[in-house]
Amino acid sequence: MKPTIAKREPVVDDAMDQTEAKLRPEQIQKVINEVIDKETGGRLWTYVNTCIHCGLCAEACQWYLSNDRDVSYAPVTKIKDTIWVMLKNKGAVDAAFIKRCAEIAYTECNLCRRCGMYCPFGIDIAYMLLVVRRICAKLDMVPLYLQDTVHSHAATMNQMWVKPDEWIDTLQWQEEEGQGYVPSARLPLEKEGAEIMYSVIGPEPKFLAQLLGNITAIMKVAGLDWTMPATAGWDNSNMAMYSGDFEVMARVERLHHETAQRLKVKKIVMGECGHAFRGAEYDGPTWMGWMKPPIPIVHAISFYYDLIKSGRIKIAKKAEGPITVQDPCNVIRNGGLGDKLRYIMNAVCAEFVDVTPNKRHNYCCNEGGGVINC
Amino acid sequence: MPDLGNWDWKSKEKMIADTAEWKARFEDVWEPYVSPDGEKIASIVKIGEGEFNVCVNGETWEEPYEKLWYSRFSPDGRLTVLASKDMEWTMAVDGKAWENSYEYIWDTKFSADGKVIAATVKQDDVYGIAVDEKTWECSKELQSIASYVISPDGKTVAAIAQTVPLGQADLEGFLKGTWSVVVNGKPWQNNFVDLYGLTISNDGKKIAAEYRAAICDYGIVVNGAPWETTAGCTWEPVFHPNNNDVVTAPVRQGGRWFLATNGTFVWDKGFTNILYQTYSPDGERIAATVATSFAKWTVAVDGQPWRTKFGECVLQPYFNPDGTKVAAIAKDRGFWFLVVDGTVLGDGAYYDNIWPPVFSPDGDKVICKVEKHGKYAIAVNGKIWGSKYEALWDPVISPDGTKVLIRGIEDKKYYRRIVPLASM
């Protein structure tokens, strides 16, 4: 196979440059073969051997389309330039190759899984790029911005280096803000036996704290029995899933679910984050050996759909003007919540204008998959 | 443990408080907590705009606060609440605030007898542990405290703490190790990338934890000394109940989980996952929650899994006093079951929730709190026994093993009841 000619602006990433200088060929080969032999199986080989190199996946990819149909961005090319080479060479590749694999897998693919829908055989190309990420993660060849976030998950069990007291203090502050909307509102901390544990992503206490005040008011108006943990385990996001550091991913997900078990809630309601839904609903439980989350998870779209449809909350005033929506891949294409999202949009917007293509055929926003850290 | 023998095991029934009356008296009444002996019930109550108090058996504390949260009874029956006034936080115990106040205080813990009260505190951006009002004196300015443990006698408190400042996005600094274990204010000499699963021996002399040496490289460390080998992943270690030289933890090798003691595999059969390993009271046996394959969860005792498997999850196993039986709470098809030695109790009875079970001294009966259709009850050997409650707390068996303390709310009235075990 000839390497693909890929015209790219040079990317400086201190972390990846330092790793490239340190990696030894035998170390690379060992890790690649360990991952291939012990962490993959029939799925990978079926995908690799089934692909007929037709290139139909290209038209699915927003990277390919938005770069003037540059073939180097086509999903099949990304596979050809990464995992195929690793398999063909039985792991005998150099550090520069691993660095290029990391650039492709982490920054030129969002793992949105649109290409898999356009493949005539349904090959999950994103899975293969996640295998590439796994290899890169074990070699510490991860972009700096992403690895720092994974370290935050590992050290604090949340995405944004939020310390335990900062978390609780923020909730207590936002309880007061929520009372600004609904004076009798309360944000119940550590209430064992509540119906719902509400969990959020790290950026909420860090940058978007008002969302916690908002949910405090909404829960009160809807008359729901809910709680939030005052311990680690409150964050449902998981960038380790996207870096390929599955051990950190599993630890974060385990704590999230065990926190719900400890609080004896019936379900976890989570905020809007799509990747967090994927991690908490699928990838985390799968690694743990759980068929599904041991405490059921309800995504915000389903939650608000139920609240509005049942009349538990009423929309006092619709947002004016034409408003559209971007279908998040992990909850729409991969989670099937497209119709519920539109019900909500029509309920809260005076003039909802849909996108084309939409629902499961949506284009990725290009932020997901850990390409941009939210 | 507190001296349960001093509790009132004779009064058949006491109506301690009518909580309906509280709702009429206060603007808001938070969820109640009851003392271990069942003699007290308490709620945080709102008495005005930005003004909160604690109501215990109908009586409020003398002094109100601007904020209150985390009301918890100590094992010896004292009520602790985290309290704020004038932008400072402190611990209030039975209505009396600690003399010291803090920028923040959280995570109250107790010694087994309840005599020692500890909490994590922050003052001037430095973190520490306050034990009975006295904050650690530590040679290093702790940047954060992730978690801590307290020995049963309360003499040793150990925390996972960040001992080294870390700049933003300093990957190299992070991998050099910024976390350590601090024991009674004294940090271990070595730092680690990450630390998890802190645990302390029953005599308080040894501390163990999981540590992360590098990306995807984990191990177990005891009093600062790592096991000789590392693994792809680990879960939290536990000490042998009577021998602090023995530490057991699940470790992952080649995609399978094994149970290891002091670094050596003691269960040679690998599982898809191993969680919550638990020693029998005499330390002779080990039970753990295991997945024998994907979505097939059960309990393994000394490495041998039960035949019965559950599709969703199994929680921590519990031994009976002589270590011959093991109980666990399991979930399948959306419902919770109580299981002993692989058999679902109560003719397959299922519940919306089950709380940790307790065995009778002879091991014949397993008693626990259960929830079904929004009501709570005591279940004996898996079957509901007696009244249904609006709120209920875990049952307690008397020291002589003949009676059971039941604490519950019926018709908004809180009752403390003593029931002969033989009648259940």
Side-chain angles (χ1 to χ4, degrees):
Chain A
M1 280 181 293
K2 290 180 183 175
T4 306
I5 298 169
K7 295 174 185 170
R8 303 285 189 274
E9 294 293 323
V11 175
V12 176
D13 185 297
D14 289 344
M16 298 213 310
D17 291 344
Q18 286 171 16
T19 301
E20 183 186 6
K22 285 188 286 192
L23 281 179
R24 291 167 286 110
E26 62 273 20
Q27 177 189 5
I28 295 169
Q29 188 166 23
K30 181 170 180 281
V31 166
I32 291 174
N33 290 332
E34 271 180 4
V35 171
I36 299 298
D37 293 345
K38 294 180 178 169
E39 301 187 26
T40 69
R43 185 181 182 188
L44 176 66
W45 290 104
T46 301
Y47 289 161
V48 169
N49 292 326
T50 303
C51 177
I52 58 167
H53 312 182
C54 66
L56 285 174
C57 54
E59 291 294 328
C61 180
Q62 83 277 1
W63 286 92
Y64 171 81
L65 295 174
S66 61
N67 282 285
D68 298 327
R69 290 186 160 75
D70 179 342
V71 73
S72 71
Y73 286 102
V76 67
T77 312
K78 296 171 195 172
I79 297 301
K80 167 184 168 288
D81 288 348
T82 57
I83 196 79
W84 286 1
V85 177
M86 293 182 195
L87 293 172
K88 179 172 178 286
N89 293 353
K90 295 185 168 39
V93 295
D94 62 19
F97 174 83
I98 291 296
K99 186 184 173 198
R100 179 63 193 140
C101 285
E103 289 171 357
I104 292 169
Y106 290 117
T107 71
E108 297 177 10
C109 170
N110 300 84
L111 306 182
C112 79
R113 288 176 158 167
R114 193 167 193 262
C115 47
M117 291 188 3
Y118 285 72
C119 170
F121 302 101
I123 293 171
D124 187 355
I125 298 164
Y127 163 75
M128 290 189 277
L129 281 160
L130 194 53
V131 173
V132 175
R133 289 190 183 198
R134 171 64 171 165
I135 289 164
C136 291
K138 292 193 82 167
L139 291 167
D140 200 15
M141 183 67 87
V142 179
L144 190 151
Y145 73 91
L146 182 58
Q147 190 67 293
D148 182 58
T149 307
V150 175
H151 288 339
S152 172
H153 279 300
T156 67
M157 295 287 118
N158 71 73
Q159 191 185 347
M160 292 279 160
W161 297 101
V162 178
K163 296 180 180 179
D165 57 303
E166 295 169 346
W167 163 246
I168 308 167
D169 197 20
T170 302
L171 294 183
Q172 290 172 329
W173 160 47
Q174 282 303 317
E175 181 181 52
E176 292 176 359
E177 295 296 311
Q179 288 163 352
Y181 302 115
V182 182
S184 60
R186 181 184 161 215
L187 198 165
L189 288 168
E190 291 288 314
K191 185 182 174 187
E192 186 188 284
E195 178 80 9
I196 294 167
M197 179 180 101
Y198 187 68
S199 68
V200 298
I201 56 172
E204 293 202 29
K206 196 77 174 182
F207 306 123
L208 300 161
Q210 69 274 18
L211 299 181
L212 295 160
N214 294 349
I215 195 68
T216 302
I218 289 168
M219 290 289 193
K220 178 65 183 179
V221 170
L224 296 172
D225 179 20
W226 70 299
T227 189
M228 294 186 82
T231 61
W234 54 264
D235 188 347
N236 53 43
S237 69
N238 206 325
M239 283 293 153
M241 172 180 74
Y242 279 150
S243 80
D245 192 334
F246 297 150
E247 290 76 9
V248 171
M249 173 197 74
R251 191 176 295 276
V252 169
E253 297 299 348
R254 181 188 165 194
L255 182 63
H256 182 226
H257 292 295
E258 287 184 344
T259 301
Q261 289 176 332
R262 175 178 65 78
L263 290 169
K264 292 288 182 186
V265 297
K266 303 291 191 313
K267 58 189 170 191
I268 300 169
V269 172
M270 60 179 297
E272 50 41 72
C273 186
H275 97 266
F277 182 70
R278 173 177 170 171
E281 177 77 12
Y282 302 109
D283 290 43
T286 300
W287 198 95
M288 285 294 295
W290 291 322
M291 176 73 80
K292 56 185 179 180
I295 303 293
I297 287 184
V298 179
H299 186 266
I301 290 174
S302 292
F303 180 62
Y304 289 119
Y305 169 84
D306 287 341
L307 291 188
I308 295 170
K309 186 145 193 176
S310 65
R312 293 191 85 135
I313 59 171
K314 294 182 170 52
I315 307 303
K317 185 177 179 231
K318 291 190 175 188
E320 299 292 334
I323 295 174
T324 192
V325 70
Q326 198 278 331
D327 288 293
C329 305
N330 283 312
V331 292
I332 305 299
R333 173 166 31 261
N334 304 321
L337 300 181
D339 290 332
K340 287 184 177 180
L341 177 58
R342 275 148 189 84
Y343 182 90
I344 295 169
M345 292 304 294
N346 282 305
V348 301
C349 302
E351 188 184 346
F352 169 58
V353 181
D354 211 338
V355 289
T356 304
N358 68 5
K359 300 182 186 175
R360 62 196 295 259
H361 294 279
N362 73 312
Y363 285 122
C364 172
C365 67
N366 223 29
E367 189 270 353
V371 171
I372 294 174
N373 197 3
C374 63
Chain B
M1 284 287 289
D3 187 357
L4 274 60
N6 289 334
W7 294 2
D8 179 3
W9 293 102
K10 291 179 181 166
S11 303
K12 282 187 178 174
E13 180 178 294
K14 293 180 190 174
M15 200 282 279
I16 304 285
D18 182 355
T19 61
E21 183 259 339
W22 299 7
K23 301 258 181 195
R25 275 172 62 196
F26 305 109
E27 279 189 31
D28 196 13
V29 179
W30 293 11
E31 60 280 3
Y33 290 83
V34 302
S35 59
D37 65 3
E39 300 285 0
K40 290 184 261 186
I41 180 169
S43 283
I44 293 170
V45 294
K46 186 177 182 185
I47 58 175
E49 188 60 36
E51 205 172 18
F52 293 86
N53 206 325
V54 180
C55 182
V56 185
N57 290 1
E59 301 291 324
T60 51
W61 284 355
E62 282 184 14
E63 193 177 1
Y65 291 87
E66 291 165 11
K67 282 184 184 173
L68 289 167
W69 78 290
Y70 210 69
S71 53
R72 297 290 185 275
F73 279 98
S74 63
D76 61 355
R78 291 182 290 164
L79 180 60
T80 66
V81 184
L82 303 175
S84 172
K85 191 177 272 187
D86 299 328
M87 306 290 284
E88 291 189 316
W89 286 90
T90 191
M91 173 86 68
V93 182
D94 281 344
K96 189 180 176 201
W98 281 0
E99 286 188 7
N100 291 333
S101 56
Y102 312 91
E103 209 173 310
Y104 209 74
I105 180 169
W106 73 102
D107 199 9
T108 312
K109 292 188 197 295
F110 308 99
S111 60
D113 64 4
K115 304 291 184 207
V116 178
I117 300 172
T120 318
V121 296
K122 181 171 83 167
Q123 186 63 39
D124 301 325
D125 280 336
V126 176
Y127 290 76
I129 303 288
V131 181
D132 287 340
E133 304 198 42
K134 191 174 181 204
T135 306
W136 273 354
E137 289 180 12
C138 185
S139 58
K140 294 186 177 176
E141 289 193 348
L142 303 180
Q143 309 294 306
S144 183
I145 288 181
S147 63
Y148 75 100
V149 292
I150 182 168
S151 62
D153 65 6
K155 291 179 181 171
T156 306
V157 176
I160 294 175
Q162 187 186 342
T163 57
V164 178
L166 185 69
Q168 287 191 357
D170 181 1
L171 304 190
E172 197 177 349
F174 182 77
L175 290 177
K176 283 180 183 169
T178 59
W179 293 84
S180 189
V181 172
V182 182
V183 184
N184 290 342
K186 189 176 177 189
W188 283 355
Q189 288 189 334
N190 34 3
N191 283 339
F192 300 89
V193 177
D194 288 301
L195 287 158
Y196 311 105
L198 193 66
T199 187
I200 191 164
S201 62
N202 278 340
D203 62 5
K205 292 181 178 170
K206 293 210 174 163
I207 314 291
E210 302 169 68
Y211 74 95
R212 188 176 180 217
I215 308 285
C216 303
D217 192 17
Y218 295 80
I220 302 296
V221 57
V222 184
N223 276 13
W227 282 0
E228 286 183 6
T229 54
T230 58
C233 193
T234 55
W235 297 134
E236 63 278 6
V238 297
F239 279 98
H240 186 286
N242 309 313
N243 183 352
N244 68 16
D245 287 332
V246 177
V247 176
T248 297
V251 298
R252 193 169 192 256
Q253 292 284 18
R256 304 286 287 172
W257 285 90
F258 300 85
L259 204 62
T261 296
N262 294 354
T264 302
F265 287 179
V266 289
W267 288 4
D268 55 2
K269 182 180 180 186
F271 291 98
T272 298
N273 210 337
I274 302 178
L275 301 168
Y276 321 129
Q277 72 282 8
T278 305
Y279 276 100
S280 58
D282 62 3
E284 293 296 312
R285 307 179 80 196
I286 302 177
T289 297
V290 301
T292 54
S293 60
F294 182 70
K296 292 196 182 300
W297 288 89
T298 189
V299 169
V301 182
D302 293 336
Q304 190 61 40
W306 291 343
R307 282 189 177 180
T308 317
K309 308 293 189 297
F310 299 88
E312 293 190 42
C313 67
V314 174
L315 305 185
Q316 182 186 345
Y318 297 87
F319 276 98
N320 71 336
D322 70 5
T324 55
K325 293 183 178 180
V326 177
I329 302 164
K331 193 177 187 193
D332 198 298
R333 289 162 287 141
F335 294 104
W336 295 94
F337 301 86
L338 183 62
V339 191
V340 173
D341 293 343
T343 301
V344 175
L345 297 190
D347 299 326
Y350 56 85
Y351 298 98
D352 299 329
N353 248 328
I354 301 178
W355 274 255
V358 287
F359 277 100
S360 59
D362 62 6
D364 279 355
K365 288 179 178 167
V366 191
I367 305 171
C368 59
K369 170 188 169 184
V370 297
E371 180 186 359
K372 197 159 192 177
H373 305 316
K375 289 282 189 180
Y376 302 91
I378 297 294
V380 180
N381 287 345
K383 288 186 177 175
I384 287 180
W385 179 92
S387 305
K388 291 181 180 170
Y389 295 86
E390 295 145 28
L392 188 67
W393 286 264
D394 289 339
V396 182
I397 297 178
S398 63
D400 66 4
T402 61
K403 300 185 181 77
V404 178
L405 166 63
I406 297 172
R407 302 164 292 169
I409 295 178
E410 269 183 329
D411 295 329
K412 299 186 170 52
K413 294 182 179 66
Y414 167 60
Y415 293 93
R416 178 194 191 276
R417 290 176 173 136
I418 301 295
V419 179
L421 182 61
S423 71
M424 300 178 81

